[in-house]
Amino acid sequence: MKTCKDHMEDGFLVSRVRDHDEQAFRELYHKYYHAVYGFGMSLVKSSTIAEEIVQEVFMQVWLHCESLDPKLSFKSYILTITRNKSLDFLRKAGNNEVLRKEIFYTGTYVHNQTSDYVDDADYEEWKNKAIASLSPKRRRIFEMSRKEGMSYEDIARELGISTNTVKVQMSKALRNIRIFLEVNTDLTFTLIFLLYSIIGM
């Protein structure tokens, strides 16, 4: 049962996420990963699709973090997103005879796209291309954060800019990378790269 303390803790984390605080996002991700995955799995009956839904749910949270309301239940919010994305998938599957048979009759779903099995070489190649597509200033900030593990405060101090500027540039860098990958790769790869960039997995 969700306690008042849990709600207050979530509200505090959500407030930080609204300000693009990545550590707060990681905490919410790890706290609710299993709830989102389990709910998605109960609807789509596929571990592969449930995992993709988890990625999509939390990516939506991050990309639209400024619209989050700390006063509302974060768990209810993400489970609502999970339900909607699961139902969207099932509606699409309902129009596909193969998917319909796999899901509704056998309860399994075999995803035949080879992109679901991205090997390390492909991942590194597209990751580097996506980062290289950034403007020099934005790429430098992104690499200082991701490759060098520097905090936003340290980056701002070294580059002589404000912490807020660093946050804005990082947000734009992730958006630029997402667009680059959406154009050049499949959705699964895009979500894996961006989500892992945020949660540090």
Side-chain angles (χ1 to χ4, degrees):
M1 179 180 295
K2 194 164 183 67
T3 65
C4 180
K5 181 180 179 181
D6 287 332
H7 183 72
M8 291 177 64
E9 289 177 351
D10 285 358
F12 175 68
L13 291 173
V14 168
S15 295
R16 288 167 54 192
V17 172
R18 278 169 54 93
D19 293 327
H20 302 277
D21 187 314
E22 296 173 13
Q23 180 57 40
F25 180 83
R26 292 188 190 97
E27 291 182 36
L28 287 173
Y29 174 86
H30 290 297
K31 182 176 182 178
Y32 288 110
Y33 170 88
H34 292 293
V36 173
Y37 176 84
F39 187 36
M41 183 68 178
S42 71
L43 294 172
V44 300
K45 311 299 183 184
S46 162
S47 59
T48 300
I49 299 303
E51 183 61 45
E52 290 185 6
I53 287 173
V54 170
Q55 295 165 6
E56 291 186 28
V57 168
F58 282 99
M59 182 55 59
Q60 179 171 327
V61 170
W62 179 253
L63 293 177
H64 302 283
C65 62
E66 294 177 357
S67 66
L68 294 173
D69 188 343
K71 297 178 182 178
L72 301 179
S73 169
F74 180 75
K75 183 175 183 180
S76 296
Y77 173 69
I78 58 173
L79 290 184
T80 297
I81 299 175
T82 304
R83 181 195 63 198
N84 291 341
K85 290 188 177 298
S86 298
L87 293 178
D88 283 344
F89 170 76
L90 292 175
R91 275 193 289 269
K92 292 177 182 177
N95 295 322
N96 184 299
E97 184 178 357
V98 175
L99 293 182
R100 188 166 61 247
K101 289 180 178 179
E102 291 285 353
I103 295 170
F104 294 107
Y105 296 127
T106 69
T108 61
Y109 172 58
V110 179
H111 212 21
N112 291 320
Q113 295 182 5
T114 57
S115 58
D116 281 351
Y117 305 95
V118 179
D119 60 38
D120 292 339
D122 286 339
Y123 182 86
E124 285 300 317
E125 179 183 359
W126 283 109
K127 180 184 73 173
N128 292 332
K129 286 181 178 179
I131 295 173
S133 72
L134 299 173
S135 65
K137 178 181 178 180
R138 197 164 292 169
R139 181 169 65 250
R140 177 57 180 149
I141 292 174
F142 183 87
E143 291 179 338
M144 291 172 77
S145 173
R146 291 299 179 269
K147 292 187 177 181
E148 300 174 30
M150 296 176 64
S151 67
Y152 284 1
E153 290 76 13
D154 289 340
I155 295 173
R157 191 177 304 111
E158 181 165 326
L159 298 181
I161 57 180
S162 69
T163 302
N164 185 62
T165 297
V166 176
K167 291 181 179 179
V168 170
Q169 288 300 314
M170 280 297 296
S171 178
K172 289 182 177 180
L174 288 171
R175 185 176 298 110
N176 291 156
I177 290 173
R178 173 174 59 83
I179 293 172
F180 177 89
L181 293 176
E182 284 178 350
V183 170
N184 294 284
T185 67
D186 63 278
L187 178 61
T188 300
F189 186 99
T190 303
L191 292 170
I192 289 174
F193 176 83
L194 289 177
L195 187 59
Y196 284 12
S197 291
I198 295 168
I199 65 177
M201 293 178 63

